[in-house]
Short mmCIF file of all heavy atoms in Angstrom, two decimals:
data_model
loop_
_atom_site.label_atom_id
_atom_site.label_comp_id
_atom_site.label_asym_id
_atom_site.label_seq_id
_atom_site.Cartn_x
_atom_site.Cartn_y
_atom_site.Cartn_z
N PRO A 63 69.34 110.13 80.59
CA PRO A 63 68.35 110.98 80.55
C PRO A 63 66.88 110.40 80.15
O PRO A 63 65.85 110.68 80.70
CB PRO A 63 68.76 111.91 79.43
CG PRO A 63 70.05 111.73 79.20
CD PRO A 63 70.44 110.39 79.66
N GLN A 64 66.99 109.27 79.46
CA GLN A 64 65.74 108.64 79.19
C GLN A 64 65.13 107.94 80.41
O GLN A 64 63.95 108.05 80.66
CB GLN A 64 65.93 107.44 78.11
CG GLN A 64 66.18 108.05 76.75
CD GLN A 64 66.41 106.88 75.84
OE1 GLN A 64 66.91 105.80 76.13
NE2 GLN A 64 66.19 107.14 74.46
N LEU A 65 65.92 107.37 81.16
CA LEU A 65 65.53 106.72 82.43
C LEU A 65 64.89 107.74 83.41
O LEU A 65 63.91 107.50 83.96
CB LEU A 65 66.67 105.89 83.06
CG LEU A 65 66.26 105.10 84.29
CD1 LEU A 65 65.08 104.04 83.99
CD2 LEU A 65 67.35 104.37 84.81
N LYS A 66 65.57 108.88 83.43
CA LYS A 66 65.23 109.95 84.39
C LYS A 66 63.75 110.43 83.97
O LYS A 66 62.89 110.56 84.73
CB LYS A 66 66.13 111.12 84.36
CG LYS A 66 65.75 112.42 85.11
CD LYS A 66 66.75 113.52 84.95
CE LYS A 66 66.17 114.70 85.59
NZ LYS A 66 67.00 115.91 85.20
N ASN A 67 63.53 110.57 82.62
CA ASN A 67 62.32 111.10 82.13
C ASN A 67 61.22 109.96 82.31
O ASN A 67 60.08 110.23 82.56
CB ASN A 67 62.32 111.33 80.69
CG ASN A 67 63.17 112.55 80.35
OD1 ASN A 67 63.22 113.41 81.23
ND2 ASN A 67 63.68 112.63 79.21
N VAL A 68 61.63 108.65 82.26
CA VAL A 68 60.63 107.62 82.57
C VAL A 68 60.18 107.61 84.08
O VAL A 68 59.04 107.50 84.35
CB VAL A 68 61.22 106.24 82.13
CG1 VAL A 68 60.38 105.05 82.69
CG2 VAL A 68 61.35 106.09 80.60
N ILE A 69 61.11 107.85 84.91
CA ILE A 69 60.81 107.88 86.31
C ILE A 69 59.94 109.10 86.61
O ILE A 69 58.93 108.99 87.30
CB ILE A 69 62.14 108.04 87.12
CG1 ILE A 69 62.98 106.78 86.97
CG2 ILE A 69 61.86 108.10 88.69
CD1 ILE A 69 62.52 105.44 87.50
N ILE A 70 60.25 110.26 85.91
CA ILE A 70 59.30 111.43 86.15
C ILE A 70 57.96 111.24 85.66
O ILE A 70 56.99 111.54 86.30
CB ILE A 70 60.00 112.61 85.48
CG1 ILE A 70 61.26 113.09 86.23
CG2 ILE A 70 59.07 113.78 85.37
CD1 ILE A 70 62.14 114.12 85.52
N ALA A 71 57.90 110.45 84.52
CA ALA A 71 56.59 110.15 83.89
C ALA A 71 55.84 109.21 84.92
O ALA A 71 54.67 109.29 85.15
CB ALA A 71 56.75 109.54 82.64
N GLY A 72 56.54 108.26 85.57
CA GLY A 72 55.94 107.44 86.44
C GLY A 72 55.41 108.15 87.77
O GLY A 72 54.23 107.87 88.21
N PHE A 73 56.16 109.13 88.22
CA PHE A 73 55.63 109.93 89.40
C PHE A 73 54.47 110.75 88.97
O PHE A 73 53.50 110.95 89.65
CB PHE A 73 56.79 110.86 89.90
CG PHE A 73 57.63 110.13 90.94
CD1 PHE A 73 58.83 109.61 90.57
CD2 PHE A 73 57.26 110.17 92.24
CE1 PHE A 73 59.58 108.98 91.58
CE2 PHE A 73 58.01 109.51 93.22
CZ PHE A 73 59.18 108.99 92.85
N ALA A 74 54.47 111.32 87.70
CA ALA A 74 53.35 112.08 87.22
C ALA A 74 52.10 111.27 87.15
O ALA A 74 51.00 111.62 87.46
CB ALA A 74 53.69 112.75 85.97
N PHE A 75 52.39 110.00 86.71
CA PHE A 75 51.20 109.08 86.48
C PHE A 75 50.66 108.80 87.91
O PHE A 75 49.41 108.68 88.05
CB PHE A 75 51.62 107.80 85.81
CG PHE A 75 50.78 106.79 85.74
CD1 PHE A 75 49.53 106.86 85.07
CD2 PHE A 75 51.03 105.45 86.31
CE1 PHE A 75 48.59 105.87 85.01
CE2 PHE A 75 50.13 104.42 86.17
CZ PHE A 75 48.88 104.66 85.65
N GLY A 76 51.52 108.48 88.81
CA GLY A 76 50.96 108.08 90.19
C GLY A 76 50.18 109.28 90.88
O GLY A 76 49.15 109.04 91.35
N LEU A 77 50.79 110.48 90.75
CA LEU A 77 49.96 111.63 91.25
C LEU A 77 48.69 111.81 90.51
O LEU A 77 47.73 112.15 91.15
CB LEU A 77 50.98 112.88 91.12
CG LEU A 77 52.17 112.89 92.00
CD1 LEU A 77 53.07 114.13 91.71
CD2 LEU A 77 51.84 112.87 93.56
N ALA A 78 48.71 111.65 89.21
CA ALA A 78 47.45 111.76 88.48
C ALA A 78 46.38 110.71 88.89
O ALA A 78 45.22 111.05 89.04
CB ALA A 78 47.71 111.68 86.97
N MET A 79 46.81 109.47 89.11
CA MET A 79 46.02 108.45 89.57
C MET A 79 45.46 108.69 90.88
O MET A 79 44.21 108.43 91.18
CB MET A 79 46.74 107.09 89.52
CG MET A 79 47.06 106.52 88.19
SD MET A 79 45.75 105.79 87.33
CE MET A 79 45.57 104.30 88.13
N ALA A 80 46.29 109.30 91.76
CA ALA A 80 45.88 109.56 93.24
C ALA A 80 44.86 110.70 93.18
O ALA A 80 43.99 110.83 94.06
CB ALA A 80 46.98 109.91 93.99
N THR A 81 44.92 111.63 92.15
CA THR A 81 44.09 112.78 92.07
C THR A 81 42.65 112.41 91.38
O THR A 81 41.67 112.90 91.82
CB THR A 81 44.76 113.79 91.28
OG1 THR A 81 46.02 114.04 91.83
CG2 THR A 81 43.99 115.10 91.21
N LYS A 82 42.72 111.64 90.34
CA LYS A 82 41.45 111.50 89.50
C LYS A 82 41.45 110.05 88.89
O LYS A 82 42.49 109.68 88.29
CB LYS A 82 41.46 112.59 88.40
CG LYS A 82 40.14 112.68 87.70
CD LYS A 82 39.74 114.18 87.58
CE LYS A 82 38.39 114.32 86.87
NZ LYS A 82 37.28 114.06 87.63
N HIS A 83 40.34 109.40 88.99
CA HIS A 83 40.23 108.04 88.41
C HIS A 83 40.44 108.01 86.97
O HIS A 83 40.88 106.94 86.41
CB HIS A 83 38.92 107.39 88.85
CG HIS A 83 38.91 106.98 90.28
ND1 HIS A 83 38.16 107.77 91.14
CD2 HIS A 83 39.35 105.94 91.01
CE1 HIS A 83 38.27 107.23 92.35
NE2 HIS A 83 38.99 106.07 92.23
N THR A 84 40.09 109.02 86.21
CA THR A 84 40.15 109.02 84.77
C THR A 84 41.68 109.06 84.40
O THR A 84 41.92 108.86 83.10
CB THR A 84 39.45 110.24 84.15
OG1 THR A 84 40.00 111.46 84.77
CG2 THR A 84 37.90 110.09 84.27
N ALA A 85 42.57 109.14 85.20
CA ALA A 85 44.04 109.09 84.92
C ALA A 85 44.39 107.59 84.38
O ALA A 85 45.43 107.57 83.74
CB ALA A 85 44.96 109.36 86.02
N VAL A 86 43.50 106.62 84.49
CA VAL A 86 43.74 105.35 83.81
C VAL A 86 43.92 105.50 82.33
O VAL A 86 44.48 104.66 81.68
CB VAL A 86 42.68 104.23 84.19
CG1 VAL A 86 42.67 103.97 85.62
CG2 VAL A 86 41.33 104.65 83.63
N TYR A 87 43.29 106.54 81.70
CA TYR A 87 43.47 106.79 80.34
C TYR A 87 44.95 107.10 80.02
O TYR A 87 45.36 107.05 78.79
CB TYR A 87 42.62 108.00 79.86
CG TYR A 87 41.16 107.76 79.90
CD1 TYR A 87 40.31 108.55 80.63
CD2 TYR A 87 40.61 106.71 79.08
CE1 TYR A 87 38.92 108.24 80.63
CE2 TYR A 87 39.30 106.44 79.11
CZ TYR A 87 38.39 107.26 79.87
OH TYR A 87 37.04 106.98 79.85
N LEU A 88 45.71 107.43 80.97
CA LEU A 88 47.13 107.64 80.66
C LEU A 88 47.90 106.45 80.26
O LEU A 88 48.89 106.40 79.48
CB LEU A 88 47.86 108.24 81.84
CG LEU A 88 47.48 109.68 82.25
CD1 LEU A 88 48.07 110.12 83.51
CD2 LEU A 88 47.82 110.65 81.09
N ILE A 89 47.49 105.22 80.67
CA ILE A 89 48.13 104.03 80.29
C ILE A 89 48.17 103.83 78.83
O ILE A 89 49.25 103.60 78.30
CB ILE A 89 47.52 102.84 81.08
CG1 ILE A 89 47.75 102.93 82.55
CG2 ILE A 89 48.11 101.46 80.53
CD1 ILE A 89 46.91 101.98 83.37
N PRO A 90 47.03 103.85 78.09
CA PRO A 90 47.18 103.68 76.58
C PRO A 90 47.88 104.89 75.97
O PRO A 90 48.58 104.67 74.93
CB PRO A 90 45.81 103.59 76.10
CG PRO A 90 44.86 103.98 77.25
CD PRO A 90 45.63 103.81 78.43
N ILE A 91 47.77 106.05 76.54
CA ILE A 91 48.57 107.16 76.04
C ILE A 91 50.03 107.01 76.15
O ILE A 91 50.88 107.25 75.17
CB ILE A 91 48.03 108.52 76.75
CG1 ILE A 91 46.65 108.84 76.29
CG2 ILE A 91 49.02 109.63 76.45
CD1 ILE A 91 46.02 110.02 77.14
N TYR A 92 50.47 106.44 77.38
CA TYR A 92 51.88 106.15 77.44
C TYR A 92 52.42 105.08 76.51
O TYR A 92 53.46 105.18 75.87
CB TYR A 92 52.27 105.80 78.91
CG TYR A 92 52.46 106.78 79.79
CD1 TYR A 92 51.84 106.66 81.19
CD2 TYR A 92 52.94 107.98 79.63
CE1 TYR A 92 52.02 107.69 82.17
CE2 TYR A 92 53.18 108.90 80.60
CZ TYR A 92 52.64 108.80 81.86
OH TYR A 92 52.83 109.85 82.70
N ILE A 93 51.56 104.13 76.27
CA ILE A 93 51.90 103.10 75.31
C ILE A 93 52.12 103.58 73.93
O ILE A 93 53.12 103.29 73.21
CB ILE A 93 50.85 101.91 75.32
CG1 ILE A 93 50.86 101.17 76.66
CG2 ILE A 93 51.03 100.94 74.15
CD1 ILE A 93 49.69 100.21 76.79
N ILE A 94 51.13 104.52 73.59
CA ILE A 94 51.21 105.05 72.18
C ILE A 94 52.47 106.01 72.06
O ILE A 94 53.19 105.93 71.06
CB ILE A 94 49.95 105.72 71.78
CG1 ILE A 94 48.79 104.74 71.60
CG2 ILE A 94 50.16 106.58 70.55
CD1 ILE A 94 47.42 105.22 71.61
N LEU A 95 52.68 106.81 73.04
CA LEU A 95 53.84 107.86 72.96
C LEU A 95 55.15 107.06 73.09
O LEU A 95 56.06 107.39 72.30
CB LEU A 95 53.69 108.80 74.12
CG LEU A 95 52.61 109.72 74.01
CD1 LEU A 95 52.60 110.65 75.15
CD2 LEU A 95 52.64 110.59 72.77
N LEU A 96 55.29 106.14 73.90
CA LEU A 96 56.53 105.30 73.92
C LEU A 96 56.74 104.54 72.59
O LEU A 96 57.93 104.52 72.09
CB LEU A 96 56.60 104.26 74.98
CG LEU A 96 56.95 104.82 76.41
CD1 LEU A 96 56.56 103.83 77.44
CD2 LEU A 96 58.37 105.26 76.41
N GLY A 97 55.75 104.03 71.96
CA GLY A 97 55.87 103.46 70.70
C GLY A 97 56.30 104.33 69.61
O GLY A 97 57.24 104.00 68.90
N ILE A 98 55.61 105.52 69.58
CA ILE A 98 56.12 106.61 68.57
C ILE A 98 57.52 107.03 68.72
O ILE A 98 58.30 107.14 67.80
CB ILE A 98 55.18 107.77 68.70
CG1 ILE A 98 53.78 107.39 68.21
CG2 ILE A 98 55.69 108.89 67.88
CD1 ILE A 98 52.72 108.45 68.45
N TYR A 99 57.99 107.23 70.09
CA TYR A 99 59.32 107.69 70.28
C TYR A 99 60.24 106.64 69.83
O TYR A 99 61.22 106.92 69.17
CB TYR A 99 59.41 107.88 71.81
CG TYR A 99 60.93 108.20 72.20
CD1 TYR A 99 61.50 109.38 71.94
CD2 TYR A 99 61.63 107.21 72.78
CE1 TYR A 99 62.82 109.62 72.16
CE2 TYR A 99 62.93 107.42 73.19
CZ TYR A 99 63.54 108.61 72.89
OH TYR A 99 64.86 108.86 73.21
#
């Protein structure tokens, strides 16, 4: 289930990047959330 969620997060990240340049802010957010988890 963790790997499935990581892949879904990757797709969401890709779609966000394709939609808006400010999605680069997701990179540090992912780092922090993965670290907390």
Side-chain angles (χ1 to χ4, degrees):
Q64 287 178 335
L65 185 58
K66 178 183 170 188
N67 291 337
V68 167
I69 301 284
I70 291 170
F73 273 96
F75 174 61
L77 292 172
M79 292 281 287
T81 305
K82 193 134 176 79
H83 288 101
T84 54
V86 296
Y87 289 122
L88 290 174
I89 295 171
I91 289 171
Y92 279 141
I93 291 169
I94 291 167
L95 290 178
L96 275 170
I98 290 170
Y99 172 76

